[in-house]
Amino acid sequence: MMLVHIAATISRGSEWPCGEGRSPQGSVIILSAEDEASDTIVPRLMAAEADLSRIQIVSAVRTKSRNGHRAFNLQQDLGELELAVAEIGDVVAIIVDPITSYLGRVDSHKNSELRSILEPLGEMASRRDVTVIANTHLNKSTLGNANGRVIGSVAFVNHARHVSIVARDPADAHKRLFLPSKSNLGRSQKGLAFRILEKTIIGNDDVEIVAPCVVWDDEMTDMTADEALQAPDAERGARRAQDEAKEFLQEILSQGPIPQKAIRKASEELGLAWRTVQRAKKSMGIEARRSNDVWYWHMPRSDPADNKRASLDSGALGTLGSPDGDDAETKDAKGAKSAAANIGDLANGRHVDAYPELPECLDRRRKIGPAQQPN
């Protein structure tokens, strides 16, 4: 979408967003390996109000073979591309989307091989006074800066004179950010923000077509490319940490109640942040009960009737709470006393039959013996 918008702006010689100036008017050559020209690129160009007479879309190279054509690649066909630029005469930009589809037999992960393509391409652009805009994708790594996220060799970034990253706005899922991450030809600039909206256009035979287009925000953004890419990584990391904390609590409490101090110590040994463990506890509905000034964590009951009975009968179950620290105090002294008696009897090896009406096969409470006494 961004590349189509740039091509349309050049074809009309229109204004760039946020008062950045006017584009020189001229033709644009588009090499696109991923989108079909007729049903994708051209409708989007029309929605962006491009002058289609100044857009040249290259789909293949003519040959003398049986098929009469083959895929374009920069390794073999750079000379043909330069001839096309010369024949058209007013080419301002060449868009290559994605550049990894046009490298021929070159390994995009090998610096020396990739430079054998990029350096001649840059020299041709200089001779013909055109701008080459090469698109590529980001890897899924959560490490490093924005430029380090570009798939393939570092030559893609190092050889380019300017690099921009397109990313989602961490604060708005419907907004995209166009952010500079490298600039060797001018001073550092702020980023731009845009949204993708739909527009109805008239195609062949007066058929209405709905196509997407770029609509810019009125102001620039101070967010950097590094910040934009690290924000979703941090969010994913927080979700992973929360999932790990839930698995930890599920495992450690599967055999019965555990003192809060012991849970905290075990979580720290695993490298889990205590606040993350507390959030997981709340999310899982884990109960905290106090006995002899010690807080124990219990897995929640699965039967809603049990939970209702728990809220009505503090004498049998003890007092429920959600302490944030080891020194949290209960306000229900009577419930705390009953809880202490209950847990104390379990620790001494005597099973307290709080619910005699439950058949033995449904009673999941662990009968703790002296050897299994909680710490």
Side-chain angles (χ1 to χ4, degrees), residues 48-372:
E49 301 179 359
D51 179 350
L52 295 181
S53 68
R54 295 181 182 271
I55 306 293
Q56 309 295 327
I57 302 174
V58 177
S59 57
V61 176
R62 296 191 186 93
T63 67
K64 296 180 180 180
S65 65
R66 179 181 301 177
N67 294 331
H69 66 274
R70 61 171 172 78
F72 180 94
N73 83 69
L74 292 169
Q75 192 174 29
Q76 291 180 284
D77 303 317
L78 185 60
E80 296 296 325
L81 180 61
E82 185 168 3
L83 286 175
V85 171
E87 290 175 1
I88 295 170
D90 68 341
V91 175
V92 172
I94 300 170
I95 292 174
V96 188
D97 176 32
I99 191 170
T100 50
S101 294
Y102 295 98
L103 298 179
R105 298 180 180 276
V106 167
D107 187 340
S108 63
H109 291 81
K110 293 184 178 179
N111 185 69
S112 59
E113 290 190 23
L114 187 56
R115 282 188 172 275
S116 71
I117 296 289
L118 298 181
E119 289 174 4
L121 179 61
E123 291 168 0
M124 184 276 289
S126 179
R127 283 194 302 271
R128 295 297 174 181
D129 194 24
V130 299
T131 296
V132 175
I133 304 173
N135 180 44
T136 188
H137 302 291
L138 302 177
N139 61 42
K140 296 181 180 180
S141 171
T142 59
L143 303 175
N145 58 24
N147 289 338
R149 296 280 299 276
V150 174
I151 287 179
S153 168
V154 294
F156 278 127
V157 171
N158 292 345
H159 189 72
R161 300 298 85 195
H162 179 90
V163 177
S164 286
I165 302 291
V166 177
R168 289 180 183 271
D169 186 335
D172 186 343
H174 301 291
K175 184 187 292 187
R176 302 294 182 269
L177 303 175
F178 185 59
L179 306 170
S181 60
K182 172 187 173 180
S183 182
N184 283 23
L185 300 179
R187 62 185 177 85
S188 179
Q189 297 280 356
K190 291 184 177 182
L192 303 170
F194 66 96
R195 299 175 188 273
I196 303 297
L197 301 182
E198 290 184 340
K199 180 183 291 188
T200 300
I201 58 176
I202 305 300
N204 295 332
D205 300 325
D206 294 331
V207 174
E208 289 189 349
I209 302 172
V210 177
C213 61
V214 168
V215 177
W216 296 101
D217 278 13
D218 294 331
E219 297 181 356
M220 293 183 172
T221 176
D222 291 322
M223 182 171 290
T224 67
D226 290 345
E227 291 169 345
L229 294 184
Q230 288 168 3
D233 291 342
E235 183 180 343
R236 285 192 292 269
R239 287 199 298 268
R240 284 196 298 271
Q242 184 82 342
D243 290 341
E244 291 174 1
K246 288 180 179 180
E247 292 177 6
F248 160 74
L249 290 176
Q250 184 72 40
E251 181 177 353
I252 198 171
L253 296 175
S254 62
Q255 298 302 315
I258 301 292
Q260 179 175 278
K261 284 186 176 181
I263 294 173
R264 183 165 189 169
K265 181 179 179 182
S267 68
E268 290 173 349
E269 290 175 352
L270 292 174
L272 295 173
W274 182 239
R275 291 300 300 168
T276 302
V277 175
Q278 289 178 314
R279 285 192 291 267
K281 165 185 172 288
K282 182 177 181 180
S283 176
M284 296 170 69
I286 290 172
E287 302 166 355
R289 308 176 194 173
R290 190 175 183 181
S291 172
N292 296 330
D293 294 327
V294 176
W295 283 97
Y296 288 80
W297 286 14
H298 301 243
M299 289 297 291
R301 288 177 172 76
S302 58
D303 186 351
D306 285 349
N307 290 332
K308 182 177 181 181
R309 186 157 44 232
S311 65
L312 295 176
D313 190 356
S314 62
L317 296 177
T319 301
L320 306 184
S322 300
D324 290 331
D326 297 331
D327 59 347
E329 296 180 358
T330 179
K331 295 182 180 179
D332 190 342
K334 181 178 178 181
K337 184 176 179 180
S338 299
N342 188 3
I343 297 174
D345 285 339
L346 288 172
N348 292 326
R350 296 192 301 274
H351 177 63
V352 178
D353 191 0
Y355 297 104
E357 71 275 14
L358 283 177
E360 186 176 354
C361 63
L362 297 179
D363 192 348
R364 298 183 179 181
R365 289 167 297 177
R366 184 169 60 126
K367 297 177 177 60
I368 305 177
Q372 300 171 302

